[in-house]
Amino acid sequence: MTDETPETDHDNARHHEKMAKKKAARDKIMAGKTIEKGLLIVHTGKGKGKSTAAFGMVFRCVGHGMKSGVIQFVKGAWGTGERTVLEKFPDLVTIKAMGEGFTWETQDRERDIAHSRAAWEEAKKMIADPDYKMVLLDELNIVLRYDYLPLDEVLEVLKNKPADKHLIVTGRNAKDELIEIADLVTEMEQVKHPFRSGVKAQAGIEF
């Protein structure tokens, strides 16, 4: 005895037919995707999760045994959970936290510029090094927003990166010129945030 009715059988058959057509269409689309290349990826917007998503891709590289480099332009003063974990894989991940905090914390433009320049020089070395499959330039957008580095110089390096290397740039207010040359751009949109209700930054959530 079964609970299935002719109507249910009909629904199941329609669903199967619909999914079969969708799979055939999807397979046809995927068959035309044959290019493999290094991507320039930008995570921007006011919503939370820009760096978190980027570090997720670094973790994926670790899982595939591919080497990644991380330059943190701003958050150097923070002790973050992702850094603690990734430091356990020194053969696969190099992390250089080169900032001293957000601009309203440092309150010293000349020092911010000097730290940004030092971080950028390290970033250029990683980008040029063939051992690194992926390089994360965390909060580079903040540096560019405040003109701590010449935009034209940064864009030139990013445009001429090695063809097989993935670069990820994070931070609010990505420059239009950067968005123009990027392969993949995601804008995080804030719908709700606990900070507005008086909730402070917490371990495991913000850092």
Side-chain angles (χ1 to χ4, degrees), residues 21-83:
K21 288 180 179 179
K22 183 170 286 190
K23 183 180 185 307
R26 181 72 177 173
D27 289 346
K28 184 176 180 180
I29 292 172
M30 294 303 293
K33 310 299 182 185
T34 58
I35 299 171
E36 185 172 340
K37 57 172 281 189
L39 302 177
L40 174 56
I41 302 166
V42 176
H43 292 174
T44 192
K46 294 181 179 180
K48 174 177 163 49
K50 297 177 286 292
S51 295
T52 305
F55 273 105
M57 284 191 276
V58 173
F59 280 111
R60 281 179 173 168
C61 281
V62 171
H64 287 290
M66 299 186 297
K67 189 170 182 180
S68 298
V70 178
I71 299 290
Q72 292 189 291
F73 282 84
V74 174
K75 297 174 182 172
W78 287 32
T80 61
E82 58 266 25
R83 192 187 310 159

Side-chain angles (χ1 to χ4, degrees), residues 108-142:
D108 188 329
R109 178 177 169 80
E110 288 189 4
R111 283 181 65 178
D112 287 342
I113 290 174
H115 281 289
S116 297
R117 172 53 63 180
W120 177 238
E121 294 303 319
E122 290 297 322
K124 288 193 291 185
K125 292 177 185 176
M126 284 186 178
I127 292 170
D129 188 336
D131 286 343
Y132 291 101
K133 178 67 174 177
M134 175 180 287
V135 177
L136 167 55
L137 307 174
D138 192 35
E139 303 289 4
L140 176 59
N141 285 335
I142 303 299

Side-chain angles (χ1 to χ4, degrees), residues 91-106:
D91 294 338
L92 290 175
V93 185
T94 303
I95 302 180
K96 297 195 175 185
M98 316 232 4
E100 287 189 313
F102 293 100
T103 53
W104 59 86
E105 293 171 336
T106 60

